[in-house]
Amino acid sequence: MALNFQDRGSASATRVLLVVLVVVSVACMTIYAREGAGGPLHAVQSAFAGVAAPFKAAGTAVGAAGEGAAEAVADATASEETLTALRERNAELTELVTQAEEYRLEAERLSGLLELKSKYQVDGVSGRVIGRSTDAWNQRVTIDVGTSDGVEPGLTVMGPAGVVGQVVSASPGSAEVRLLTDPQSGAAAVVQSSRAEGVVRGSLAGLLYLENVDADVTLSVGDVVLTSGLGGSYTRGLLIGTIVRVDGNANDGTRRVIVSPNEQATSFEEVIVVKSAAADSASGGSGSSGSDAGSGSGGNASSSSSSAGSASSAAGNGGGGQ
């Protein structure tokens, strides 16, 4: 009986404690809802939150580690079919990324050609390089446009940075272009700043040399070299390159002038075959370009005029490269 009495007393005490806790909880909730953010219950809550924060972070880290371990186990136990599917998907994504990069690079190159075409007001035909020579003696490329597109031998060819060569032969569907860097090339040229005329030739080393310039003309690194149009070998007024090295001084018979080529044979993939350009049409054709170039600078007018005949004939024969 005594034991039964103790059980009943314990049960009554539990009920009373539960009621008290419920009442206290309701009271705390009411006070919490009515007091402001700076009330005592809010302060107690903030204190407990600060104490519990490290434990919460540790629990999150443990949970993340557990999820990672579960994923690792799942990967390790994946079937061969699942792994094969994942490998195929990865290969597809890699191919898509590669194609996207190719499209981006092609868009950049075509943008450069369009800018060049707009700058020089070029009327021409766009084409792609479909073949390249492999020896230094014949630095040529083959493009995928030909006589059916209006391409003829003698037309100037430009890459994204300027003149790269000249059409030497053409068939209905393709054409062969001799690059400026070919040892047999020769382009009548004019130095933009001084209007001094000469001939740009290629070489076995792939360098461009500016030759046949009057000995008393001063040339400097950085001078821009353009096609002069003399002899009708190249369309007039197009960029050939810039002078990057001058060995010797004016009146030095052994002076050598090196011009940077616009493009290396392996660096361009699209070209424009020039039918006409604004500078050429404005001068009334290549026949009047000699006098126009000669009048560009008073100090060099006589030297430019005297070298016009030799530049024209030297560019016309195209031989004798370095």
Side-chain angles (χ1 to χ4, degrees):
M1 293 295 293
L3 182 60
N4 187 28
F5 175 77
Q6 290 177 359
D7 291 342
R8 290 179 180 177
S10 177
S12 299
T14 301
R15 291 193 188 95
V16 171
L17 180 60
L18 180 60
V19 171
V20 171
L21 290 176
V22 170
V23 172
V24 172
S25 298
V26 172
C28 289
M29 291 175 61
T30 303
I31 296 172
Y32 183 87
R34 292 182 178 180
E35 71 178 2
L41 292 181
H42 282 77
V44 172
Q45 181 192 33
S46 299
F48 275 106
V51 172
F55 298 99
K56 183 177 180 180
T60 302
V62 171
E67 292 178 359
E71 291 178 358
V73 171
D75 292 341
T77 58
S79 65
E80 186 62 29
E81 293 181 358
T82 302
L83 293 176
T84 300
L86 290 174
R87 293 189 191 99
E88 292 176 353
R89 182 57 177 165
N90 183 64
E92 292 175 359
L93 292 175
T94 302
E95 183 178 357
L96 289 175
V97 170
T98 303
Q99 289 178 354
E101 179 65 11
E102 282 296 307
Y103 291 147
R104 184 187 68 81
L105 294 174
E106 182 180 9
E108 287 183 357
R109 294 193 303 269
L110 293 177
S111 176
L113 279 176
L114 289 175
E115 289 179 5
L116 204 65
K117 187 174 182 180
S118 174
K119 178 179 179 180
Y120 292 102
Q121 299 180 37
V122 169
D123 176 25
V125 179
S126 299
R128 292 180 181 275
V129 175
I130 58 175
R132 304 179 192 273
S133 62
T134 57
D135 60 282
W137 294 96
N138 295 287
Q139 297 184 32
R140 303 187 179 195
V141 296
T142 304
I143 56 177
D144 64 353
V145 289
T147 54
S148 59
D149 304 290
V151 175
E152 300 174 354
L155 292 181
T156 302
V157 179
M158 300 184 74
V163 175
V164 295
Q166 184 180 44
V167 176
V168 292
S169 64
S171 63
S174 64
E176 189 173 3
V177 178
R178 176 189 291 152
L179 301 180
L180 275 174
T181 51
D182 187 283
Q184 301 180 54
S185 72
V190 58
V191 180
Q192 189 177 49
S193 58
S194 64
R195 311 310 298 176
E197 295 177 344
V199 176
V200 170
R201 295 191 183 281
S203 66
L204 291 175
L207 300 175
L208 295 180
Y209 292 94
L210 179 60
E211 303 175 350
N212 294 35
V213 180
D214 282 352
D216 60 346
V217 175
T218 300
L219 300 173
S220 304
V221 172
D223 285 347
V224 175
V225 180
L226 307 173
T227 53
S228 68
L230 290 175
S233 58
Y234 281 81
T235 301
R236 178 180 182 271
L238 302 179
L239 177 65
I240 292 178
T242 56
I243 294 177
V244 294
R245 183 175 175 180
V246 179
D247 293 334
N249 301 314
N251 297 313
D252 184 352
T254 62
R255 180 173 62 175
R256 296 179 59 182
V257 182
I258 300 177
V259 178
S260 65
N262 283 313
E263 304 283 351
Q264 298 296 330
T266 57
S267 66
F268 62 92
E269 299 180 31
E270 295 86 16
V271 297
I272 296 178
V273 180
V274 181
K275 294 182 178 179
S276 66
D280 198 38
S281 359
S283 67
S286 59
S288 63
S289 61
S291 60
D292 188 28
S295 62
S297 173
N300 295 283
S302 58
S303 63
S304 297
S305 298
S306 63
S307 64
S310 60
S312 176
S313 60
N317 59 41
Q322 297 294 324

